[in-house]
Amino acid sequence: MNDNALPVPRHAALVEQACRAMEAGDMPDLAALAEQAGLSRFHFHRVFKSMTGITPKAYATAVRAARARRELDQGASITQALYDAGFNSSGRFYENTTAMLGMTPTERRRGGVGLDIRFAVAQCALGALLVAATAKGICEIALGDDAPVLVRELQDRYPQATLEGADDEFKHWVAAVVGFVENPAQGLDLPLDVRGTAFQQRVWQALRAIPPGTTITYTELAQRIGAPSAVRAVARACATNPLALVIPCHRVVRQSGALAGYRWGVARKLELITREATAK
């Protein structure tokens, strides 16, 4: 049987085996992973990307970044964290992980110390709304029933950051977000500071390309990013979206057309979809 003749379940098992190998400790290279799978390097690379939506190298980088996050959160020094995570040099560590950590490694280790985050809460048709931003742009938009809870969750994510109230410019941003909820037809164009893995960024970019008032399925979204077999990974990327409304994960539904889970509540998802359809 040649590489191309392998059935999908067999492909999935091989990719799962490779992922576990990368997560186990020592990071095997592409040749070792392909040999373990019994495939040529070329076909293993293609199979892995088709099943996960990212390359083996990108997956390995994500695994290293996750290890670094754990080490830093547990109080490890940056030097210890980078080597324990499997990076061979500090240069490669900073090059590959800063975006995935959502802040610099130093800021991450210190719980966001030295990081200034402006934030404000407001009320809108969907309930409480929190908008937060770094100097680069909006880093979080969250929805909920209780504004103080949203603020506490922000504080928990950045315990050492300096949280500042809204200035006049920022108030305009918050007003724009509230205005978008009330009238989706007006659109929303704001500077963003959104960090994630290469795969998450692809999903989030595809989400922003879905026209207001329309919905697609997770399967269709996976196809749009060129990873038709990565439906579950696409769903996870939607679930970890930090920016409600701006990255419209509410526009994705199940294959049956039924609403799937929504980080900020299925009732809000239905309300958003309904409002956008009416505003068309």
Side-chain angles (χ1 to χ4, degrees):
M1 179 181 294
N2 61 38
D3 292 343
N4 290 320
L6 286 170
V8 171
R10 175 61 174 154
H11 277 169
L14 292 175
V15 170
E16 178 73 12
Q17 175 181 278
C19 290
R20 299 295 82 81
M22 284 186 276
E23 294 165 1
D26 293 336
M27 199 69 67
D29 60 18
L30 178 61
L33 290 170
E35 182 179 1
Q36 183 183 49
L39 302 176
S40 67
R41 291 176 59 181
F42 171 80
H43 282 103
F44 172 75
H45 188 280
R46 188 173 68 180
V47 166
F48 191 98
K49 187 173 182 180
S50 72
M51 297 297 292
T52 66
I54 58 177
T55 65
K57 181 179 180 180
Y59 190 89
T61 297
V63 169
R64 291 189 180 101
R67 290 178 188 167
R69 282 195 294 270
R70 288 194 297 270
E71 293 289 333
L72 292 169
D73 289 346
Q74 292 170 7
S77 68
I78 294 175
T79 300
Q80 178 185 341
L82 74 90
Y83 286 110
D84 286 351
F87 290 92
N88 295 323
S89 69
S90 59
R92 292 182 67 89
F93 175 69
Y94 282 96
E95 174 187 355
N96 288 287
T97 64
T98 298
M100 294 184 186
L101 295 176
M103 58 186 81
T104 68
T106 299
E107 290 166 346
R108 178 81 190 199
R109 180 173 179 268
R110 297 177 180 175
V113 67
L115 190 66
D116 294 328
I117 297 177
R118 292 176 293 170
F119 80 96
V121 292
Q123 290 294 318
C124 66
L126 299 174
L129 170 74
L130 179 142
V131 182
T134 66
K136 295 180 180 179
I138 293 177
C139 61
E140 182 168 336
I141 298 177
L143 299 165
D145 298 319
D146 190 338
V149 170
L150 295 179
V151 175
R152 284 198 298 272
E153 291 174 347
L154 179 67
Q155 291 172 325
D156 288 343
R157 278 187 287 279
Y158 303 101
Q160 301 301 322
T162 300
L163 301 183
E164 304 173 345
D167 55 23
D168 290 340
E169 178 188 21
F170 193 68
K171 288 178 181 177
H172 288 304
W173 290 3
V174 177
V177 176
V178 173
F180 176 75
V181 173
E182 305 299 335
N183 180 18
Q186 74 180 27
L188 192 60
D189 184 17
L190 296 169
L192 305 179
D193 183 10
V194 56
R195 313 286 181 89
T197 66
F199 182 79
Q200 287 173 322
Q201 295 283 10
R202 287 171 58 196
V203 173
W204 297 340
Q205 183 176 1
L207 286 170
R208 299 192 73 195
I210 303 172
T214 63
T215 60
I216 66 172
T217 67
Y218 291 99
T219 298
E220 290 170 330
L221 183 57
Q223 292 170 344
R224 290 190 182 188
I225 66 169
S229 300
V231 178
R232 289 185 179 180
V234 164
R236 286 195 298 272
C238 290
T240 56
N241 165 29
L243 295 175
L245 310 173
V246 174
I247 299 176
C249 53
H250 61 272
R251 296 175 190 161
V252 188
V253 298
R254 291 177 177 160
Q255 196 71 29
S256 64
L259 300 183
Y262 183 55
R263 180 173 176 179
W264 297 283
V266 174
R268 290 189 178 90
K269 181 172 186 172
L270 177 60
E271 178 68 15
L272 282 166
I273 291 173
T274 302
R275 282 175 173 269
E276 290 184 354
T278 303
K280 286 182 66 178

